[in-house]
């Protein structure tokens, strides 16, 4: 199901000076920000970005994440961040890959897992809410 290109987006970014350390290498925590930018674009393509999530009555906190650094990113490097929807039934899992935009070399992989939490009660929903399936245009 998720081989459908609708469930993948690419975002191109250029590494700014404030993201790197004294050696010109991206500080490890900034990779999660790059993931976030791609995740927002992916969810926005389905009109279910963070504002729409909240308006639908659900919060979607990140409860698990992983990143694997394969090659360093550096100041002024242009990168392509790819976000791909992987799981939706009981949680929202998005996989990420970062590539050097010029060579195509994959530099980083990772994922985030988010769960639906009812905004009013703050109760965890053990299945994804119907609004997610509706916005994605898939059957639960």
């Amino acid at each position: 199901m998720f081989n459908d290109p609708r469930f993948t987006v690419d975002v191109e970014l250029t590494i700014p000076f404030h993201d790197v350390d004294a050696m010109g290498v991206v500080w490890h925590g900034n990779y999660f920000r790059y993931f976030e930018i791609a995740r927002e674009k992916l969810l926005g393509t389905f009109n279910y970005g963070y504002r729409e999530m909240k308006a639908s009555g659900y919060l979607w906190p990140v409860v698990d994440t992983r990143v694997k650094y394969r090659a360093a990113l550096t100041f002024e490097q242009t990168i392509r961040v790819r976000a791909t929807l992987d799981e939706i039934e009981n949680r929202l899992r998005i996989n990420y890959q970062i590539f050097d935009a010029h060579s195509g070399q994959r530099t980083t992989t990772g994922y985030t897992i988010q769960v639906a939490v009812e905004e009013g009660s703050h109760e965890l929903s053990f299945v994804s809410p119907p609004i997610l399936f509706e916005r994605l245009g898939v059957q639960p």
Side-chain angles (χ1 to χ4, degrees), residues 54-132:
K54 186 170 173 42
S56 75
Y58 291 94
L59 308 173
W60 287 83
V62 171
V63 296
D64 190 11
T65 188
R66 182 174 194 274
V67 62
K68 181 167 182 155
Y69 309 98
R70 298 175 179 271
L73 299 178
T74 58
F75 174 53
E76 293 184 327
Q77 182 177 5
T78 302
I79 60 172
R80 189 175 73 251
V81 184
R82 176 170 293 157
T84 303
L85 197 53
D86 186 47
E87 294 179 34
I88 62 170
E89 290 181 4
N90 301 309
R91 60 191 189 167
L92 190 60
R93 179 184 164 125
I94 300 174
N95 293 331
Y96 305 92
Q97 298 181 79
I98 298 178
F99 302 90
D100 177 86
H102 300 295
S103 71
Q105 176 191 11
R106 185 173 60 184
T107 64
T108 314
T109 58
Y111 66 80
T112 55
I113 295 175
Q114 295 168 261
V115 294
V117 173
E118 292 183 31
E119 183 180 21
S121 67
H122 291 270
E123 288 188 30
L124 173 65
S125 180
F126 290 101
V127 296
S128 294
I131 186 70
L132 176 65

Side-chain angles (χ1 to χ4, degrees), residues 12-25:
E12 193 166 287
L13 304 169
T14 300
I15 305 296
F17 179 74
H18 62 264
D19 281 2
V20 300
D21 60 21
M23 295 173 283
V25 175

